[in-house]
Short mmCIF file of all heavy atoms in Angstrom, two decimals:
data_model
loop_
_atom_site.label_atom_id
_atom_site.label_comp_id
_atom_site.label_asym_id
_atom_site.label_seq_id
_atom_site.Cartn_x
_atom_site.Cartn_y
_atom_site.Cartn_z
N THR A 1 13.77 -0.65 -2.49
CA THR A 1 12.91 0.50 -2.37
C THR A 1 11.67 0.27 -3.28
O THR A 1 11.79 -0.27 -4.38
CB THR A 1 13.67 1.76 -2.86
OG1 THR A 1 14.77 2.00 -1.96
CG2 THR A 1 12.80 2.97 -2.88
N VAL A 2 10.52 0.67 -2.79
CA VAL A 2 9.33 0.71 -3.54
C VAL A 2 8.70 2.11 -3.40
O VAL A 2 8.57 2.64 -2.36
CB VAL A 2 8.29 -0.31 -2.99
CG1 VAL A 2 7.03 -0.29 -3.83
CG2 VAL A 2 8.96 -1.75 -3.01
N ASN A 3 8.40 2.63 -4.61
CA ASN A 3 7.92 4.05 -4.64
C ASN A 3 6.44 4.09 -4.86
O ASN A 3 5.88 3.14 -5.46
CB ASN A 3 8.63 4.88 -5.76
CG ASN A 3 10.13 4.96 -5.43
OD1 ASN A 3 10.51 5.12 -4.25
ND2 ASN A 3 10.93 5.02 -6.48
N LEU A 4 5.84 5.15 -4.52
CA LEU A 4 4.49 5.41 -4.84
C LEU A 4 4.29 6.83 -5.29
O LEU A 4 4.77 7.81 -4.60
CB LEU A 4 3.51 5.21 -3.64
CG LEU A 4 1.99 5.43 -3.89
CD1 LEU A 4 1.46 4.25 -4.64
CD2 LEU A 4 1.30 5.60 -2.59
N MET A 5 3.83 7.06 -6.54
CA MET A 5 3.59 8.44 -7.02
C MET A 5 2.11 8.63 -7.18
O MET A 5 1.37 7.76 -7.72
CB MET A 5 4.29 8.64 -8.35
CG MET A 5 5.79 8.67 -8.29
SD MET A 5 6.58 9.27 -9.79
CE MET A 5 5.95 8.12 -11.03
N ILE A 6 1.65 9.77 -6.76
CA ILE A 6 0.28 10.17 -6.90
C ILE A 6 0.30 11.47 -7.63
O ILE A 6 0.85 12.50 -7.14
CB ILE A 6 -0.45 10.31 -5.58
CG1 ILE A 6 -0.35 9.01 -4.76
CG2 ILE A 6 -1.90 10.73 -5.78
CD1 ILE A 6 -0.95 9.04 -3.32
N ASP A 7 -0.48 11.56 -8.76
CA ASP A 7 -0.57 12.76 -9.54
C ASP A 7 -1.78 13.58 -9.14
O ASP A 7 -2.77 13.00 -8.56
CB ASP A 7 -0.75 12.37 -11.02
CG ASP A 7 0.46 11.66 -11.59
OD1 ASP A 7 1.62 11.89 -11.16
OD2 ASP A 7 0.28 10.82 -12.50
N ASN A 8 -1.70 14.82 -9.43
CA ASN A 8 -2.88 15.70 -9.21
C ASN A 8 -3.49 15.60 -7.83
O ASN A 8 -4.66 15.27 -7.66
CB ASN A 8 -3.93 15.45 -10.30
CG ASN A 8 -5.03 16.54 -10.26
OD1 ASN A 8 -4.80 17.65 -9.95
ND2 ASN A 8 -6.18 16.16 -10.86
N LEU A 9 -2.68 15.85 -6.84
CA LEU A 9 -3.09 15.67 -5.43
C LEU A 9 -4.36 16.51 -5.16
O LEU A 9 -4.55 17.62 -5.60
CB LEU A 9 -2.04 16.05 -4.46
CG LEU A 9 -0.87 15.04 -4.33
CD1 LEU A 9 0.27 15.71 -3.58
CD2 LEU A 9 -1.43 13.79 -3.56
N ARG A 10 -5.30 15.87 -4.37
CA ARG A 10 -6.52 16.53 -3.94
C ARG A 10 -6.54 16.54 -2.44
O ARG A 10 -5.94 15.73 -1.73
CB ARG A 10 -7.67 15.78 -4.48
CG ARG A 10 -7.69 15.53 -5.98
CD ARG A 10 -8.64 14.55 -6.43
NE ARG A 10 -8.69 14.31 -7.86
CZ ARG A 10 -9.37 13.32 -8.51
NH1 ARG A 10 -10.13 12.55 -7.75
NH2 ARG A 10 -9.29 13.21 -9.77
N PRO A 11 -7.34 17.46 -1.83
CA PRO A 11 -7.52 17.40 -0.39
C PRO A 11 -7.98 16.09 0.13
O PRO A 11 -7.56 15.73 1.30
CB PRO A 11 -8.60 18.50 -0.12
CG PRO A 11 -8.34 19.43 -1.23
CD PRO A 11 -7.98 18.58 -2.44
N GLU A 12 -8.82 15.35 -0.55
CA GLU A 12 -9.19 14.04 -0.22
C GLU A 12 -8.07 13.04 -0.08
O GLU A 12 -8.36 11.94 0.45
CB GLU A 12 -10.26 13.49 -1.15
CG GLU A 12 -11.46 14.44 -1.37
CD GLU A 12 -11.18 15.38 -2.52
OE1 GLU A 12 -11.37 15.02 -3.67
OE2 GLU A 12 -10.83 16.56 -2.29
N ASP A 13 -6.91 13.29 -0.62
CA ASP A 13 -5.78 12.43 -0.52
C ASP A 13 -5.07 12.54 0.84
O ASP A 13 -4.12 11.82 1.11
CB ASP A 13 -4.81 12.72 -1.68
CG ASP A 13 -5.32 12.43 -2.98
OD1 ASP A 13 -6.16 11.37 -3.14
OD2 ASP A 13 -5.02 13.14 -3.94
N THR A 14 -5.49 13.52 1.66
CA THR A 14 -4.87 13.69 2.98
C THR A 14 -5.05 12.45 3.73
O THR A 14 -6.22 12.00 4.05
CB THR A 14 -5.56 14.87 3.70
OG1 THR A 14 -5.16 16.08 2.97
CG2 THR A 14 -4.92 15.04 5.12
N ALA A 15 -3.95 11.82 4.24
CA ALA A 15 -4.00 10.59 4.95
C ALA A 15 -2.61 10.28 5.43
O ALA A 15 -1.56 10.88 5.03
CB ALA A 15 -4.57 9.46 4.09
N VAL A 16 -2.52 9.27 6.28
CA VAL A 16 -1.26 8.64 6.59
C VAL A 16 -1.01 7.49 5.58
O VAL A 16 -1.95 6.62 5.41
CB VAL A 16 -1.17 8.09 8.02
CG1 VAL A 16 0.13 7.41 8.28
CG2 VAL A 16 -1.43 9.24 8.98
N TYR A 17 0.12 7.47 4.96
CA TYR A 17 0.37 6.54 3.94
C TYR A 17 1.41 5.46 4.50
O TYR A 17 2.44 5.87 5.05
CB TYR A 17 0.94 7.19 2.65
CG TYR A 17 -0.11 7.86 1.89
CD1 TYR A 17 -0.69 9.07 2.35
CD2 TYR A 17 -0.56 7.36 0.68
CE1 TYR A 17 -1.58 9.75 1.63
CE2 TYR A 17 -1.57 8.00 -0.03
CZ TYR A 17 -2.10 9.19 0.43
OH TYR A 17 -3.07 9.81 -0.31
N TYR A 18 1.09 4.22 4.28
CA TYR A 18 1.90 3.09 4.85
C TYR A 18 2.40 2.27 3.70
O TYR A 18 1.62 1.97 2.73
CB TYR A 18 1.11 2.22 5.82
CG TYR A 18 0.51 2.92 7.00
CD1 TYR A 18 -0.70 3.54 6.94
CD2 TYR A 18 1.30 2.99 8.15
CE1 TYR A 18 -1.28 4.20 8.07
CE2 TYR A 18 0.71 3.66 9.29
CZ TYR A 18 -0.54 4.24 9.15
OH TYR A 18 -1.02 4.83 10.32
N CYS A 19 3.63 1.71 3.85
CA CYS A 19 3.95 0.61 2.96
C CYS A 19 4.00 -0.66 3.87
O CYS A 19 4.09 -0.64 5.09
CB CYS A 19 5.36 0.79 2.30
SG CYS A 19 6.74 0.95 3.43
N ALA A 20 3.87 -1.78 3.20
CA ALA A 20 3.69 -3.03 3.90
C ALA A 20 4.22 -4.15 3.04
O ALA A 20 4.17 -4.10 1.84
CB ALA A 20 2.26 -3.30 4.29
N ALA A 21 4.71 -5.25 3.66
CA ALA A 21 5.24 -6.38 2.99
C ALA A 21 4.49 -7.65 3.42
O ALA A 21 4.12 -7.80 4.59
CB ALA A 21 6.76 -6.55 3.24
N ASP A 22 4.33 -8.56 2.47
CA ASP A 22 3.67 -9.80 2.78
C ASP A 22 4.24 -10.96 2.02
O ASP A 22 4.76 -10.79 0.92
CB ASP A 22 2.13 -9.73 2.53
CG ASP A 22 1.33 -10.73 3.30
OD1 ASP A 22 1.56 -10.84 4.55
OD2 ASP A 22 0.53 -11.46 2.70
N PHE A 23 4.29 -12.12 2.66
CA PHE A 23 4.94 -13.35 2.11
C PHE A 23 4.05 -13.90 1.03
O PHE A 23 3.21 -14.81 1.32
CB PHE A 23 5.23 -14.27 3.19
CG PHE A 23 6.04 -15.51 2.79
CD1 PHE A 23 7.40 -15.33 2.51
CD2 PHE A 23 5.46 -16.76 2.61
CE1 PHE A 23 8.15 -16.44 2.17
CE2 PHE A 23 6.21 -17.81 2.23
CZ PHE A 23 7.58 -17.69 2.04
N ARG A 24 4.11 -13.35 -0.13
CA ARG A 24 3.30 -13.83 -1.30
C ARG A 24 4.12 -13.76 -2.55
O ARG A 24 5.04 -12.94 -2.71
CB ARG A 24 2.07 -12.97 -1.53
CG ARG A 24 1.22 -12.70 -0.25
CD ARG A 24 -0.07 -11.94 -0.60
NE ARG A 24 -0.71 -11.42 0.44
CZ ARG A 24 -1.96 -11.05 0.50
NH1 ARG A 24 -2.70 -11.13 -0.58
NH2 ARG A 24 -2.48 -10.48 1.61
N ALA A 25 3.79 -14.58 -3.53
CA ALA A 25 4.47 -14.54 -4.85
C ALA A 25 3.78 -13.56 -5.78
O ALA A 25 4.39 -12.93 -6.65
CB ALA A 25 4.54 -15.90 -5.50
N TRP A 26 2.47 -13.37 -5.59
CA TRP A 26 1.66 -12.53 -6.44
C TRP A 26 0.77 -11.61 -5.64
O TRP A 26 0.36 -11.92 -4.51
CB TRP A 26 0.76 -13.41 -7.35
CG TRP A 26 1.58 -14.28 -8.24
CD1 TRP A 26 1.78 -15.66 -8.05
CD2 TRP A 26 2.23 -13.96 -9.49
NE1 TRP A 26 2.61 -16.13 -9.07
CE2 TRP A 26 2.84 -15.10 -9.97
CE3 TRP A 26 2.36 -12.76 -10.26
CZ2 TRP A 26 3.55 -15.14 -11.15
CZ3 TRP A 26 3.09 -12.78 -11.36
CH2 TRP A 26 3.70 -13.99 -11.79
N CYS A 27 0.44 -10.46 -6.21
CA CYS A 27 -0.39 -9.58 -5.58
C CYS A 27 -1.87 -10.09 -5.59
O CYS A 27 -2.28 -10.71 -6.55
CB CYS A 27 -0.34 -8.20 -6.25
SG CYS A 27 1.23 -7.28 -6.02
N PRO A 28 -2.63 -9.71 -4.59
CA PRO A 28 -4.04 -10.20 -4.62
C PRO A 28 -4.84 -9.48 -5.71
O PRO A 28 -4.49 -8.47 -6.21
CB PRO A 28 -4.53 -9.72 -3.20
CG PRO A 28 -3.56 -8.57 -2.79
CD PRO A 28 -2.25 -8.87 -3.42
N ASP A 29 -5.89 -10.21 -6.04
CA ASP A 29 -6.76 -9.69 -7.12
C ASP A 29 -7.65 -8.56 -6.62
O ASP A 29 -8.19 -7.74 -7.42
CB ASP A 29 -7.65 -10.72 -7.71
CG ASP A 29 -6.85 -11.78 -8.49
OD1 ASP A 29 -5.79 -11.38 -9.03
OD2 ASP A 29 -7.26 -12.97 -8.57
N GLN A 30 -7.85 -8.45 -5.35
CA GLN A 30 -8.67 -7.41 -4.79
C GLN A 30 -8.01 -6.88 -3.50
O GLN A 30 -7.03 -7.56 -2.97
CB GLN A 30 -10.07 -7.85 -4.46
CG GLN A 30 -10.15 -9.05 -3.51
CD GLN A 30 -11.59 -9.58 -3.35
OE1 GLN A 30 -12.48 -9.13 -3.97
NE2 GLN A 30 -11.75 -10.56 -2.48
N ALA A 31 -8.45 -5.79 -2.98
CA ALA A 31 -7.87 -5.21 -1.81
C ALA A 31 -7.81 -6.19 -0.61
O ALA A 31 -8.77 -6.88 -0.42
CB ALA A 31 -8.69 -3.97 -1.35
N ASP A 32 -6.63 -6.16 0.01
CA ASP A 32 -6.47 -7.13 1.08
C ASP A 32 -5.54 -6.53 2.12
O ASP A 32 -4.34 -6.28 1.79
CB ASP A 32 -5.90 -8.44 0.58
CG ASP A 32 -5.71 -9.52 1.58
OD1 ASP A 32 -6.05 -9.34 2.78
OD2 ASP A 32 -5.24 -10.65 1.26
N PRO A 33 -6.05 -6.22 3.32
CA PRO A 33 -5.19 -5.48 4.29
C PRO A 33 -4.29 -6.49 5.12
O PRO A 33 -3.60 -5.99 5.98
CB PRO A 33 -6.27 -4.87 5.24
CG PRO A 33 -7.36 -5.78 5.15
CD PRO A 33 -7.42 -6.39 3.72
N ASP A 34 -4.33 -7.73 4.84
CA ASP A 34 -3.61 -8.76 5.60
C ASP A 34 -2.16 -8.88 5.20
O ASP A 34 -1.77 -9.88 4.53
CB ASP A 34 -4.35 -10.11 5.53
CG ASP A 34 -3.78 -11.17 6.54
OD1 ASP A 34 -3.07 -10.69 7.41
OD2 ASP A 34 -4.07 -12.34 6.31
N PHE A 35 -1.40 -7.87 5.48
CA PHE A 35 -0.02 -7.84 5.25
C PHE A 35 0.79 -7.98 6.51
O PHE A 35 0.36 -7.43 7.55
CB PHE A 35 0.38 -6.50 4.51
CG PHE A 35 0.26 -6.55 3.00
CD1 PHE A 35 -0.97 -6.86 2.48
CD2 PHE A 35 1.33 -6.21 2.17
CE1 PHE A 35 -1.16 -6.89 1.08
CE2 PHE A 35 1.16 -6.21 0.79
CZ PHE A 35 -0.06 -6.55 0.28
N GLU A 36 1.88 -8.62 6.46
CA GLU A 36 2.61 -9.04 7.67
C GLU A 36 3.41 -7.92 8.30
O GLU A 36 3.28 -7.69 9.51
CB GLU A 36 3.53 -10.22 7.37
CG GLU A 36 4.26 -10.78 8.62
CD GLU A 36 5.09 -11.98 8.29
OE1 GLU A 36 5.16 -12.38 7.10
OE2 GLU A 36 5.67 -12.60 9.23
N TYR A 37 4.15 -7.19 7.53
CA TYR A 37 5.07 -6.18 8.08
C TYR A 37 4.58 -4.80 7.52
O TYR A 37 4.20 -4.62 6.42
CB TYR A 37 6.51 -6.41 7.57
CG TYR A 37 7.08 -7.71 8.04
CD1 TYR A 37 7.45 -8.69 7.22
CD2 TYR A 37 7.22 -7.96 9.41
CE1 TYR A 37 8.00 -9.87 7.62
CE2 TYR A 37 7.78 -9.12 9.85
CZ TYR A 37 8.13 -10.10 8.95
OH TYR A 37 8.70 -11.28 9.37
N TRP A 38 4.70 -3.82 8.48
CA TRP A 38 4.25 -2.46 8.18
C TRP A 38 5.25 -1.47 8.57
O TRP A 38 5.96 -1.55 9.61
CB TRP A 38 2.94 -2.22 8.93
CG TRP A 38 1.78 -3.07 8.45
CD1 TRP A 38 1.51 -4.29 8.78
CD2 TRP A 38 0.70 -2.60 7.52
NE1 TRP A 38 0.34 -4.72 8.10
CE2 TRP A 38 -0.11 -3.69 7.34
CE3 TRP A 38 0.49 -1.41 6.90
CZ2 TRP A 38 -1.25 -3.62 6.53
CZ3 TRP A 38 -0.66 -1.36 6.14
CH2 TRP A 38 -1.48 -2.45 5.91
N GLY A 39 5.29 -0.33 7.76
CA GLY A 39 6.05 0.77 8.18
C GLY A 39 5.30 1.64 9.15
O GLY A 39 4.18 1.39 9.52
N GLN A 40 5.96 2.74 9.56
CA GLN A 40 5.32 3.57 10.60
C GLN A 40 4.38 4.61 9.99
O GLN A 40 3.63 5.19 10.75
CB GLN A 40 6.45 4.33 11.36
CG GLN A 40 7.03 5.52 10.64
CD GLN A 40 7.92 5.21 9.42
OE1 GLN A 40 8.29 4.12 9.18
NE2 GLN A 40 8.19 6.28 8.67
#
């Protein structure tokens, strides 16, 4: 399980939130949408 907590929710946070998995040892240094597996 991987959790995500967001404090002090704002209307601008309205969105569909996805988790995703990618075959890497380390997280990227900058945003990278190239993840292999995605949730619904």
Side-chain angles (χ1 to χ4, degrees):
T1 299
V2 181
N3 296 327
L4 182 76
M5 291 193 301
I6 303 174
D7 298 326
N8 192 23
L9 283 168
R10 306 168 181 171
E12 306 89 81
D13 295 323
T14 296
V16 178
Y17 286 73
Y18 301 88
C19 65
D22 203 50
F23 188 74
R24 313 183 192 200
W26 301 98
C27 291
D29 291 331
Q30 59 186 1
D32 184 359
D34 190 18
F35 275 54
E36 183 176 5
Y37 299 116
W38 292 80
Q40 81 288 349

